[in-house]
Amino acid sequence: MHPAEAYILKQEEPYKSILLQLQSITEAIVPNAELLYKWRIPFYYNNGIPICFLNQSKDYVDLAFWHFEKLEKYTEYFIDTNRKYVRSLRYKSVDDINDEVIVYVLEKQLEINTNPFKLIIKPERHMI
């Protein structure tokens, strides 16, 4: 089994159901969604560019994104606790999931289409 899928399926309820719902929405919206397992959590990539990641922690599931500053709507739904570059939508039950918000954010991420890691990690300067 793929490690990212195993991560999702091994979670206890309600987290497994939340993750499966988020997986379904993401794969329906992101045209070339590739589910990878990086840093021990599931990441979605589209054409080699990271779009979002899923993380079950404590009593919630985060659907996390970069490029928060470029979002024009639904910013009140995001959590930024102790984070510099990432914001997340946080869910404690499947009923908390708002498809409209997720679809908007995923579509916006595809529109931005910029690798966030290239923006965060500055190239080293070579001394001459």
Side-chain angles (χ1 to χ4, degrees):
M1 180 180 296
H2 187 281
E5 292 169 347
Y7 173 96
I8 292 168
L9 295 175
K10 78 173 186 177
Q11 303 303 320
E12 295 179 14
E13 290 296 347
Y15 313 114
K16 179 166 60 172
S17 292
I18 295 167
L19 288 162
L20 288 169
Q21 180 69 17
L22 296 174
Q23 180 181 20
S24 296
I25 296 167
T26 302
E27 291 178 3
I29 300 303
V30 178
N32 299 308
E34 183 180 15
L35 181 60
L36 300 174
Y37 192 67
K38 305 254 184 182
W39 299 286
R40 298 185 191 161
I41 56 176
F43 272 74
Y44 271 103
Y45 279 69
N46 184 65
N47 297 325
I49 295 176
I51 298 296
C52 62
F53 65 86
L54 301 162
N55 186 30
Q56 191 278 313
S57 181
K58 300 178 187 174
D59 64 341
Y60 57 84
V61 171
D62 274 342
L63 177 60
F65 298 92
W66 298 269
H67 310 300
F68 177 78
E69 72 284 354
K70 295 184 180 179
L71 298 179
E72 295 139 9
K73 298 185 335 186
Y74 305 120
T75 56
E76 68 275 12
Y77 290 94
F78 282 85
I79 306 292
D80 67 352
T81 308
N82 299 323
R83 292 180 166 162
K84 192 171 181 179
Y85 297 106
V86 176
R87 301 290 187 276
S88 63
L89 299 169
R90 186 164 288 174
Y91 305 103
K92 292 188 176 193
S93 77
V94 172
D95 294 335
D96 294 340
I97 297 172
N98 183 330
D99 293 5
E100 185 178 324
V101 173
I102 297 171
V103 169
Y104 166 77
V105 177
L106 287 169
E107 288 176 345
K108 195 71 173 171
Q109 296 295 311
L110 292 170
E111 192 179 293
I112 295 165
N113 198 33
T114 302
N115 188 334
F117 298 126
K118 289 184 180 178
L119 299 175
I120 296 168
I121 301 170
K122 308 263 188 277
E124 291 183 27
R125 291 185 176 178
H126 297 284
M127 300 298 272
I128 299 177

